[in-house]
Amino acid sequence: VRFLTPCYHPNVDPQGNICLDILKDKWSALYDVRTILLSIQSLLAEPNIESPLNTHAAELWKNQAGECPRGRRRGPWPCPAAPPPRP
């Protein structure tokens, strides 16, 4: 499982690979598509910054996590954080 559309997130690398335990070491053939998609949705909302694939995005998340009231958070980024411009 990977993203085809670019996704700037601490647990997604530039090739779209996702760092999620149920896709790696905790994989089971018993997981259905719904379970996998719910896990990805949860990861996007609350990244695991202790195990980042994108260290720059993880640093942004760490540095900006306390800057915004909880009610203003939208999507995977707290407040007005934006990914760096592409080269």
Side-chain angles (χ1 to χ4, degrees):
V1 176
R2 69 183 184 97
F3 285 101
L4 296 178
T5 303
C7 179
Y8 189 78
H9 187 274
N11 301 113
V12 180
D13 71 13
Q15 290 75 38
N17 298 308
I18 304 167
C19 181
L20 184 61
D21 60 352
I22 70 164
L23 298 177
K24 309 282 187 223
D25 57 329
K26 298 206 189 284
W27 171 254
S28 168
L30 298 176
Y31 290 132
D32 59 5
V33 173
R34 180 180 181 275
T35 301
I36 294 168
L37 291 176
L38 285 172
S39 295
I40 293 171
Q41 181 182 20
S42 177
L43 182 71
L44 291 175
E46 295 295 329
N48 177 2
I49 56 175
E50 300 304 317
S51 178
L53 284 178
N54 183 333
T55 55
H56 186 263
E59 285 301 316
L60 282 176
W61 185 275
K62 285 181 195 176
N63 294 337
Q64 295 180 4
E67 292 182 10
C68 300
R70 184 87 175 148
R72 288 193 52 209
R73 268 179 88 161
R74 290 188 188 166
W77 293 104
C79 284
R86 290 186 176 198

